Amino acid sequence: EAQLVESGGGLVQPGGSLRLSCAASGFTFNSHWMGWVRQAPRKGLEWVGNINPSGDDIQYVDSVKGRFTTSRDNARNSLHLQMNSLRVEDTAVYYCVRVEVAADNIWWFDPWGQGALVIVSS
Amino acid sequence: DIQMTQSPYSLSAAVGDRVTITCRSSQNIDNYLNWYQQKPGQAPKVLIYGVSTLQSGVPSRFSGRGSGTDFTLTINSLEFGDVATYFCQQSYGRPPYTFGQGTKLEIK
């Protein structure tokens, strides 16, 4: 069974940095696009970014471009999100997600990790 | 960016009822529409992908329909375990891949 486990969340001051990690197991990690989705407290879901299997095609939502960097280590089955210049509005639970693709290129997020809480506050 | 609008924002129904949640996209997304269920205190899980394909293990009480810009999620024979917030998400073309704002389902 595919499983994703995030780590690295915590409290950070505005302008600070934090690095999230996601440990993947139960599937062929280097065959899948991976991504991050966040959820601010009592809010909806926001897609943050996706990364292709080889790590050389990366997409971000505009609000994090230039501040967040996602990367992957296929040898260690791990995904990372380096978050710099953090803002109060980045406060959220960050979910690591696997991208599943059907034969007709329909794709969706499954599974989701349990989430890592990031709080940006002074 | 493609905007996804869900309605209603919340709804309350009785056990055994049928409920329908609507999701509308600001432009054509063909059949690149997915539905997720998030139970209280849990991470979201995919229910339906590609408008109408049920994820393995999802009860047949759940169904999805639509095309283009208008989509629906229907839950038949509502159960207590269906209490959750439901999100639609478009996976069409270029990013960003946006979600609806969510529909909170409660049991009367």
Side-chain angles (χ1 to χ4, degrees), chain A residues 88-112:
Chain A
V88 171
E89 56 265 34
D90 294 319
T91 294
V93 173
Y94 285 73
Y95 294 103
C96 171
V97 292
R98 181 182 70 174
V99 174
E100 276 281 69
V101 185
D104 52 2
N105 285 328
I106 299 294
W107 66 266
W108 62 97
F109 296 126
D110 178 66
W112 297 54

Side-chain angles (χ1 to χ4, degrees), chain B residues 9-26:
Chain B
Y9 176 76
S10 65
L11 74 157
S12 181
V15 169
D17 282 356
R18 179 171 64 187
V19 300
T20 296
I21 299 168
T22 298
C23 178
R24 176 167 291 172
S25 58
S26 59

Side-chain angles (χ1 to χ4, degrees), chain A residues 42-53:
Chain A
R42 297 170 298 282
K43 297 291 186 181
L45 300 169
E46 181 181 39
W47 171 80
V48 173
N50 283 355
I51 183 170
N52 73 333

